[in-house]
Every structure is written in C-alpha cells, then in structure tokens.
Amino acid sequence: MEIIKYVNKINKIRSDFFFLKNKIYNNNFIYLDNASTTQKPLQVLNSVNAFYKSYCSNINRSSYYISELSYKKFELSRKRVKFFLNANYIEEILFTNGATDSINIISNYFAREFLKEGDNIIISSFEHHSNISPWQILAKEKKVFLRFINFNISGIFDLNIFKKCFDKKTKLVIISHISNVIGIENPVEEICKISHTNNSLVIIDGSQAVSHCLVDVKKIDADFYFFSSHKMYSSMGVGILYIKIKILEQIKNFKTGGGNISSLLFNKITYKVFPFKYEAGTQNISSVISIYNAIDYILNIGIDFIDYHEKKMVDYLISKLINELDIKILGNINNKKSIVTFIINNIHPHDLCSLFDRESIMVRTGFLCAQPTINRYNISSVVRVSFGVYNNFDEIDILVYSLKKIRKYLYV
Amino acid sequence: MFNIFNIYNNLIYEYCNNSKNFGKLLIYTHLLHANNPLCGDNIKIYLNIINNKIEDIKFFGDGCAISKASSSLMVELLHNKDLFYSNVMVKYFFSKICCYKNDNTDFSILETNSKKKILLFDNVKKFPMRVKCVTLSWNAISSLFK
C-alpha cells in the first residue's frame, strides 16, 4: 500500500476514536494496552447511545414495537457474529457475560458431564488464569488429570511434543489462539486435526486473536471458541461462545432463569429451543447490539489490513527495543501478532509503568494474569505493549524516547 | 506540579540501593511474606526476635523501587528495637502514609529522625496506585503485633 494512503487510512481510523482526543499531563493519550481492552469507535458508542435513548427495552418478554426492534437488532448481531466467524449455524453462537463466563459455562455445563474419573485434559501452560483455574477445580472434583504442555522459551508451539501428550483417556485440549503474554499465534488448525484424530475435543480461547487476524471456526474446526466483545472494539460485558452444534445438542443443563423457559409448572419445566435455551436472564442488550457495529467496523477496515498494520507496529517497536541495552523481549521476535512483552534490567516494570504514565503512555505490567507463562522465564513481572488498529508509529517513537528519558533519569 | 518522577529522585538512591538492609538471615525466628501479585512485588522479611527485641532484620526479594525503598527504610527503623517500639513505629507509619486514625497511641517515644524519614514517602499519597507498594512490607510486619 502506498505510504500516503496508509498514513491517511490510519489517521481516518484514529479520528473515529474519541478517546484518543483526551489529554493527560498535557499530552495526548497513548493507549498501548489493547490486549486488556480496546477503545470503542464512535460507531459503537453511537449504537449504545441510540439504544438507551430511543428503544431501550427487554427482549423476548413483550410484544410492543421497541421490544421487537431490540430483539431484531439483538439477533442481527448474532447473525453478524456467525458470518464473522464463518460458523455453520446461527444456533452455534451464544452470548455470555464474557470470556471468563464462557469458560465457566463450558467447564460447568459441558465438561462436568463429559469427563469421567481417570480422563485427562491437555492444557497449554501459556494460558490466561481464567483458562486454567476452572480446569483445576474440575480436575479435583472429577479426579481427572491436567497435562500441561511446556513451551520452550521461543513461545512457538511444538506439534511433535503435542502429539506425544495423547493417550486413550485424553478427552479435551485447551489452548489459546494467541498468548496474551508472548503474542505468538498457535497452529490451532493443526492442533484441532491432531486432537480429533485422537478423539479429543478442542476448546480455544480467541480473546487475543479475534480483532487481530482472521478467525474461521469452520476452517480451524474448533469445537469451542470464545472471546470477549470488549477486546474487539465493542462494549464490555458480553462474551461470544461458539459451540459446534453436534456438541451443543448434547448439553442438557444450562444456566436457568427468566427468558430461557418456555413453560414452568411446579413439577415440570420446559425450556425454549437453542440458542435462547442457553441465555437465561436479561441480556446485555445494548452491548450485544453494538457488536454488530464493531464487526462492521472491523470488516470495513479489513482484517487483513489490521493484521498487516499491527505487524508493522510490532516489528517497528522490536527494531527499536533490540538496540537498547539490557532489554529482553519474551518469545520469538519474528512471529508476534500485536503484543510485545519485555523486561529491562534494573527497572522494575511497575516503576516503568508509573513513569510511562507520567508521559501519558499506558502499558500493562505485572504477571498479566498468566503467572505460569511468566514463571517460565524465571521472572515475576513484565511490561506489555499491545497494539490496536488506531496506534501509529509516532506513538512508538514517543514510547522509545520516554524510555530513554526514564533510563537517563534513573541512571540505568 | 509535583509528579511521580520527583518521588524517584527522593527515594530511590537513598534506600532502594542500600544493600546493608537487603538479604537473608541465616538465623531467624520469623519469616514474613509480602506479596502484591498485580505488580509482581514479592518480598520476604527475615526477623530474629529475642526477648521481645528485633535483634536482626533484613528484607529479600523482587519488587519495584518504591516497595524496596520502603522495605529498606522499615528494616533500618526497626533494627535493634523492641516490639513495643516497633508496634508504635508501624502505627505511626500508617497514620502518616494511609492517614489511619490514631487510636491514642503515644508517638512521642519515637525518635524524631525516624519520624522524618517516614515522611520521605509522604508524597506517594498523591499516587494512590503506589500506596500499596509503600505499605507492602509494613502490612506484612503488622501481623507480628496482632
């Protein structure tokens, strides 16, 4: 793409994010924590605003016009998600309260029935805590074993080691599409092929993938795929959970409450058909509706462009950091998507975060809710820069300049 | 305008790099853990308490400059002090840094110079996110007096 067109495109994207116009300490916000949550374009904000201003009403409860309108828009979002993920059936798309809620649903309402004593689960050791702790609890309860795959420090998934982890009792494989620490994409298509050959189902955490690269659940052949809406430029409070229909049909029990019941007598309950059967209680309607706008926003920019742009950001940042003394970047530097995690000798990440903040630069530090991953590198805390579509090269230059300034100030 | 860079200028060089207070004790009667998982501060406090007196104390571990500086100061202020004095010192620390209400503890027994040193961290109050770092080790040692 020509440079001028590229720069103009990024500037146009930035103009859609009101958030970027804010200032702190007289500097524009430089937001580099997109792996934690993304900012929302005006199109999404307007959608939420329009709901509350013009047709705020519950769905599947009443039959007046605006309730029907809410319901129609809600279901349009579901249809859009199905298209976005290239799912086969609309019933395969469920809305939850977030990615963590999705994992707990899979663990409590599917895996609890599916697993038997003595079974084992293969789980990547580079997972977010939310995709480890429910399995630890279930493993203890059901007396199943967790087999953690150890990555080498490059962070690149070793399929040969993976193949050797299976036996007849392996029932589930749990993996993130992209690690929230290392930022490297796992070969999820191959992982699913190998797992299915071994009669195991695959649960994929797509939280760090969905707004950064193409996700095709049919091509990947995932059995479960989940992520949070707030990590794809949409509102907080909603998760998307894809479950392959032949598996969904096996799930007998689910969360229950108002909205998913067709009829209730004191001695008998009849549930609605899916997907409504699986969405009890009042949904986060405005946020679900805004997902439609967020997906449209991403598709209008082009997921290929987002992937390309973020890769350029990552490569540019890495090229600057590797010239700096005493900086260690975690994981292979050639395979990263949107995330660069590093440590600096003699500057604790928390100190760096505070000093960056003074320069209006927002990064994430700590163990990133992924302590096993951090421990793999024998460290307790890191700095993570994670890009979104609205970040640009100037922001990276400011970050690097601030880093030099901080180091000079601290005599490091 | 006071900014966080000023804190580092005042604190880091005085205490964070003071190796005299850092390390493990070979002989100790108490080992306390101070941990803040959000930022990765993980500090152990070794104490050798004999006849109600802190004969020796050191801190060890990894933490941000503020938590290490505060831990280092704590070690300096409590070294060779009896438990009663130490308890009063800890209360004084929290009354200044966290503005805890004084329960009529008499702070006049504390050395003036020691009280001044605690005030080195006074400006951290302006940055609520860093108060946890300053209080990390002091919270851990409070458990001795409960």
Side-chain angles (χ1 to χ4, degrees), chain A residues 350-351 354 358 367 380-381 409, chain B residues 3 8 13 37 39 62 65 130:
Chain A
H350 199 187
D351 293 315
S354 285
R358 187 62 183 85
F367 56 58
S380 58
S381 184
Y409 194 84
Chain B
N3 73 56
Y8 286 91
Y13 308 111
C39 58
D62 191 29
R130 305 313 303 274

Side-chain angles (χ1 to χ4, degrees), chain A residues 301-329:
Chain A
I301 294 171
I303 197 76
D304 288 343
F305 176 81
I306 294 174
D307 197 352
Y308 166 82
H309 171 61
E310 288 176 354
K311 185 83 176 81
K312 279 235 170 298
M313 299 278 104
V314 162
D315 289 345
Y316 186 64
L317 176 63
I318 289 175
S319 72
K320 296 285 180 185
L321 291 180
I322 55 175
N323 289 331
E324 291 286 315
L325 281 175
D326 298 327
I327 289 187
K328 181 181 165 184
I329 297 172

Side-chain angles (χ1 to χ4, degrees), chain A residues 25 348-352 354-356 358-359 364-368 371 379-381 405-406 408-411, chain B residues 1-6 8-9 12-13 36-42 62-66 127 129-130 133:
Chain A
Y25 312 119
H348 193 274
H350 199 187
D351 293 315
L352 192 60
S354 285
L355 294 168
F356 268 150
R358 187 62 183 85
E359 305 288 297
R364 173 79 186 272
T365 58
F367 56 58
L368 314 185
Q371 210 166 359
I379 47 183
S380 58
S381 184
K405 180 177 157 185
I406 289 165
K408 199 172 166 187
Y409 194 84
L410 299 179
Y411 297 99
Chain B
M1 183 179 122
F2 188 90
N3 73 56
I4 199 157
F5 276 86
N6 299 125
Y8 286 91
N9 202 22
I12 277 192
Y13 308 111
N36 185 352
L38 274 179
C39 58
D41 291 341
N42 194 353
D62 191 29
C64 64
I66 290 176
F127 305 95
M129 291 299 291
R130 305 313 303 274
C133 305

Side-chain angles (χ1 to χ4, degrees), chain A residues 1-7 9 305 308:
Chain A
M1 179 184 261
E2 291 167 24
I3 298 226
I4 294 173
K5 266 190 187 167
Y6 179 38
V7 169
K9 185 161 181 166
F305 176 81
Y308 166 82

